[in-house]
Amino acid sequence: MRVVRRLSIRARITLGSLLVGAVVLSGVAVVLHVQIERATIATDASLAAGDAAPFVSDLRHNPDEAPDRPSEDVMVGIRDASGGWRVDSLPRDVRAALPAEQPQRDVTLRLHTGQRAVTVVGIPVAHEDGTVVVWAAHDGRAGAETLARVDRSLVLGTVLALLAFGGTAWLLTTLALRPVGRMRRRAEELSDGAVDGSLPVGTTDDELAALARTLNAFIERQRENTRRERQMVSDASHELRTPLAALTARLELAHRSTGDAAALERALSAAEGDAARLVALATTLLELSRLDESAAPPATTSAALVSELMDAIDRARAFGGARTRDIDFTATTPDPDARYAVEPASFARVVDNLVANAIAAGEVGGVVRVTLEQDASSVLHLRVVDDGHGVPEHFLPQAFERFARADTARRAVLGGSGLGLALVRGVAERAGGSASLRNGERGGAVAAVALPPV
């Protein structure tokens, strides 16, 4: 088996075809040999029966007359009930090979005496002194020679057919695998970066064309993932560089303000803010990377999610940006035992991000409305509505992309990094749900998250 596994697909298909062809052709050759042999024996038996027919007729119609003597080259013998031979032109070796008992019905025997192969027909004829048997033999050497020639022809034909079969299988396999070779060479070029594009797709709509389309789709996804990873690294580097530069500047100012306690305190407070922004950015990136894992989170009841919602609202009210705004929330969960594939901490991060964005987008003295509801199918719907100016329409399709930010978001007092909505969508989709963002009919933005029960 190891030797076979080391062979190429073309060689394995060709060997398999030869094996199948050998079995089929050998079976056909054996069947033909048997049929021809039976036909030869039947012909010899018919000729022997023809030689015996005149003697059988004489015995039946003229039982008292002595049988005529057989002509030359006719092998006939008439044996009476006592074992004596009335007529005998049978060769000695053939006569010795005949059965001692008289047959009671017509028989056909194929005898191999060591000197020859003959077909013998025995025809019993009823007589007043007992049963008389007419034995007639026909030499089978001509039929054996014919059968031998046929066997040689069958062997030669089988070998030639196998050679043709193997060559055809090799050629057809080569032609069938030629697109695979082109795809392999193209894949090597794509891997080396020598060319850009995709694998060639054949003109016929067959399995190889379907494979090429599937691989092209996979390559395109890999390219998109690579592009997104590069973009993410670039954006993350940009986002980290700004607070790091600010933090460095704050620390330099702190060194210069060693003699001024008030200035030193302001510099250290600003540095703490920059460090907090870095920690928040790193935490969000870590959470996003964890969302890419395939492991499903443990289920959480709706009652626990309501508790996390209330805690998140309390945190938002205590935050500085929310002091001039009101946060109104309602929670309607008829089935508190319904379970959802989201961790409490992840759900809290979803609420924190959506509420923080709503506070940043709203106006002074405005209201942020948060609702958590269960529908008849126990699907949990979280909605956060602000009273701001809404989101630019061109930004809505890419709002949930990582590091995507609308221009108006840069004036937000919370200083977002463009990862909050990406985290919201990642948590929702990992739980089997969805996240959306749209502009309200009366202004403001409406962020919605739907979580199905497990």
Side-chain angles (χ1 to χ4, degrees):
M1 291 300 295
R2 292 182 179 179
V3 176
V4 175
R5 291 175 182 175
R6 293 177 182 176
L7 298 176
S8 64
I9 294 178
R10 179 168 48 190
R12 279 183 281 176
I13 292 177
T14 302
L15 289 177
S17 301
L18 286 175
L19 180 61
V20 173
V23 172
V24 173
L25 292 176
S26 299
V28 172
V30 170
V31 171
L32 288 176
H33 171 83
V34 172
Q35 294 295 329
I36 294 174
E37 185 179 29
R38 289 180 178 177
T40 302
I41 294 175
T43 301
D44 291 343
S46 177
L47 293 175
D51 293 338
F55 298 93
V56 172
S57 179
D58 280 348
L59 289 174
R60 287 175 178 173
H61 295 92
N62 303 304
D64 297 330
E65 295 182 4
D68 296 334
R69 186 167 184 79
S71 59
E72 190 176 358
D73 296 332
V74 175
M75 295 182 289
V76 175
I78 302 176
R79 188 171 63 183
D80 55 24
S82 62
W85 293 89
R86 297 184 182 183
V87 174
D88 183 13
S89 64
L90 295 173
R92 182 179 302 175
D93 56 330
V94 174
R95 189 187 320 111
L98 293 175
E101 297 181 357
Q102 298 282 69
Q104 301 301 314
R105 63 181 65 182
D106 295 355
V107 294
T108 300
L109 303 176
R110 184 70 172 176
L111 301 179
H112 297 274
T113 65
Q115 299 180 11
R116 72 193 82 201
V118 295
T119 302
V120 180
V121 174
I123 303 175
V125 179
H127 196 268
E128 58 183 8
D129 297 332
T131 302
V132 178
V133 179
V134 179
W135 295 97
H138 189 275
D139 196 339
R141 284 179 293 182
E145 292 177 0
T146 302
L147 184 61
R149 288 195 296 269
V150 171
D151 288 342
R152 289 193 294 269
S153 299
L154 288 175
V155 172
L156 180 60
T158 300
V159 173
L160 293 178
L162 284 176
L163 292 176
F165 202 66
T168 303
W170 182 275
L171 177 61
L172 292 178
T173 307
T174 301
L175 295 176
L177 293 178
R178 185 173 295 175
V180 177
R182 289 198 297 265
M183 285 193 292
R184 180 182 58 81
R185 291 190 294 271
R186 184 69 172 183
E188 291 177 352
E189 295 174 354
L190 294 175
S191 177
D192 296 337
V195 296
D196 191 13
S198 59
L199 299 178
V201 180
T203 56
T204 58
D205 190 12
D206 55 7
E207 291 82 357
L208 292 178
L211 174 62
R213 288 192 292 268
T214 302
L215 292 177
N216 285 333
F218 172 76
I219 292 173
E220 189 61 30
R221 287 195 300 270
Q222 292 298 106
R223 287 175 177 170
E224 181 63 21
N225 292 335
T226 302
R227 184 193 67 79
R228 292 179 61 183
E229 289 177 0
R230 291 177 179 174
Q231 185 65 34
M232 183 176 178
V233 172
S234 176
D235 293 340
S237 301
H238 176 75
E239 293 294 335
L240 290 171
R241 182 174 55 192
T242 301
L244 283 174
L247 180 60
T248 303
R250 305 291 187 191
L251 293 176
E252 290 178 355
L253 289 176
H255 281 295
R256 295 177 183 178
S257 304
T258 54
D260 187 348
L264 179 60
E265 183 178 359
R266 288 193 299 271
L268 291 177
S269 297
E272 288 178 355
D274 293 333
R277 184 180 177 186
L278 285 172
V279 171
L281 178 59
T283 301
T284 304
L285 288 173
L286 180 60
E287 291 179 356
L288 286 172
S289 65
R290 288 176 178 175
L291 289 176
D292 294 334
E293 299 177 358
S294 59
T300 306
T301 62
S302 59
L305 297 183
V306 171
S307 178
E308 290 295 333
L309 172 68
M310 297 175 64
D311 292 341
I313 297 298
D314 291 339
R315 287 192 298 270
R317 286 173 175 172
F319 191 68
R323 293 174 182 174
T324 58
R325 294 168 179 81
D326 187 17
I327 302 177
D328 184 19
F329 79 95
T330 58
T332 306
T333 55
D335 185 7
D337 295 327
R339 305 181 71 85
Y340 302 89
V342 60
E343 297 175 347
S346 298
F347 184 75
R349 289 285 289 168
V350 169
V351 178
D352 288 340
N353 282 305
L354 293 182
V355 173
N357 288 342
I359 292 174
E363 300 294 338
V364 176
V367 178
V368 175
R369 292 180 174 82
V370 181
T371 59
L372 185 66
E373 298 176 336
Q374 279 179 332
D375 60 15
S377 301
S378 295
V379 177
L380 196 65
H381 296 276
L382 172 66
R383 293 185 182 86
V384 179
V385 182
D386 63 56
D387 57 352
H389 298 286
V391 181
E393 293 294 332
H394 67 83
F395 178 72
L396 288 176
Q398 58 183 357
F400 290 95
E401 297 293 332
R402 298 180 181 183
F403 296 105
R405 291 182 297 187
D407 294 338
T408 56
R410 296 188 181 276
R411 64 181 178 84
V413 295
L414 299 180
S417 61
L419 293 175
L421 290 180
L423 180 63
V424 169
R425 184 181 65 176
V427 172
E429 291 182 350
R430 190 185 183 196
S434 62
S436 62
L437 180 67
R438 61 181 176 85
N439 288 317
E441 297 179 357
R442 298 181 180 179
V446 180
V449 174
L451 301 177
V454 294

